[in-house]
Amino acid sequence: MAIVTTKAIVLSAIKYGDTSLIVKCYTQEEGIKTYMIRGVLKPKKKGITAAYFQPLTQLKIVANHNSKNTLNSLKEVQVHQPYKTVYSNIVKQSVVLFLSEVLSNAIQEEEQNTTLYEYLETALQWLDLHDNVANFHLLFLLNLTGFLGFYPDLSDHTKNGFDLLEGVYSDNFANKNVIHKNDFYQFKKLLGINFDEIQEVSFSKEERQVVLQIIIQYFKLHLGNFRNPKSLQVLETVFS
C-alpha cells in the first residue's frame, strides 16, 4: 500500500450502508480511483465530511492506494479550488451533475494523464467564473473527445456532412452515421473554438438538444460501454 498526495476531482459518491460513502475520483497522479469513506454520514462525524464529495468538487487528498484492486481509503481531504457559484446556481448544478456522470462513464484508466486532468480543472474553473453557460456542456464534451482519442478530423472541410463513426467530414449521406443539413450545421458551430468563444455561439433550445444528442451518439460509437446519462433529462428540462 502506498500513501499518495494528489489533486482529485469527484466523479460520483454512492451511499454505502447507513453511514458510509463509496467515492469515485479522477486523480491527477493515478487516474480513476475509488475510495471507501467510512462513517462520513454520521451526524457527529468530525474531520472528513460528506460536503467534500459533491459532483466535480476539486480536492487535494492524501490517500492510501492499495495494489490489490480493492477500495482505497482517504487519510486527509481539503477543497483545492473552492467554487463560488457552481453549487448555488441551479443551471450550473445540473451541468456538473450531468458532466460528472458522463466522465464517470467515459474515463476508465487507472493511470496518470496530466493533460486531461488540467483540462478538467481549467474548464470547471471557467464554468464557475462565467454566467453565460448554456452551451458549456456541449463544448466541454466535444473537447473531451480529444483527450479520449476521437476528436473530429477537420482536415477535409469542403464536405457537407460528418461521419460520427469515422470522425471525419463526409458526403456519403446514405450512411446512417453521417449527419448533414441542419444537424451538421449546428454541430459544426462548436468545432475548433474555445470556451471564451462559446458565448458567441447561438443555439435555440431545440438546436441545443439536437447537438447534445449528436455528441452523445458520437460517444456511444467510440466508447463501447458508454450509455445515456440518467441526468440527461434533468439537463434538458433546465435548458428548455
Side-chain angles (χ1 to χ4, degrees), residues 49-239:
T49 68
Y52 287 126
F53 306 112
Q54 296 182 78
L56 301 187
T57 303
Q58 297 186 43
L59 303 174
K60 182 81 172 287
I61 63 174
V62 180
N64 288 316
H65 286 175
N66 63 64
S67 57
K68 295 183 179 179
N69 213 23
T70 54
L71 293 174
N72 305 283
S73 61
L74 293 179
K75 293 169 65 67
E76 299 175 24
V77 180
Q78 64 186 73
V79 176
H80 178 63
Q81 292 281 358
Y83 296 132
K84 295 179 175 64
T85 65
V86 165
Y87 299 127
S88 59
N89 179 303
I90 186 64
V91 172
K92 293 183 183 184
Q93 283 181 31
S94 302
V95 168
V96 298
L97 180 64
F98 170 74
L99 293 179
S100 66
E101 190 179 354
V102 171
L103 289 168
S104 186
N105 196 347
I107 303 173
Q108 304 296 332
E109 292 75 24
E110 290 193 26
E111 59 188 37
Q112 186 182 70
N113 185 336
T114 303
T115 55
L116 172 54
Y117 190 90
E118 289 174 351
Y119 168 68
L120 300 179
E121 188 176 51
T122 304
L124 293 170
Q125 290 167 22
W126 190 97
L127 173 67
D128 185 44
L129 296 173
H130 289 78
D131 296 325
N132 185 359
V133 299
N135 301 324
F136 172 85
H137 58 296
L138 303 177
L139 186 59
F140 179 96
L141 292 180
L142 191 58
N143 285 348
L144 181 64
T145 66
F147 300 94
L148 300 177
F150 54 99
Y151 189 81
D153 180 347
L154 308 182
S155 57
D156 199 357
H157 54 81
T158 59
K159 295 183 177 177
N160 296 309
F162 182 78
D163 188 328
L164 295 172
L165 181 60
E166 299 299 327
V168 297
Y169 288 133
S170 172
D171 284 330
N172 183 14
F173 305 141
N175 185 329
K176 67 177 183 179
N177 292 313
V178 174
I179 58 170
H180 60 107
K181 296 183 179 177
N182 190 53
D183 286 1
F184 173 61
Y185 174 73
Q186 301 303 334
F187 177 71
K188 196 175 178 183
K189 289 179 182 178
L190 296 172
L191 297 175
I193 67 171
N194 62 37
F195 285 114
D196 287 334
E197 293 172 289
I198 199 160
Q199 302 189 68
E200 309 301 321
V201 175
S202 175
F203 291 116
S204 69
K205 63 182 181 181
E206 292 81 9
E207 289 165 351
R208 187 176 294 113
Q209 290 192 8
V210 164
V211 173
L212 181 56
Q213 291 294 343
I214 289 169
I215 293 172
I216 288 174
Q217 180 62 16
Y218 193 41
F219 272 71
K220 286 180 177 177
L221 289 169
H222 291 267
L223 300 173
N225 296 323
F226 192 82
R227 56 194 179 276
N228 269 348
K230 294 178 182 177
S231 52
L232 177 60
Q233 190 172 0
V234 175
L235 190 71
E236 290 180 341
T237 300
V238 166
F239 286 124

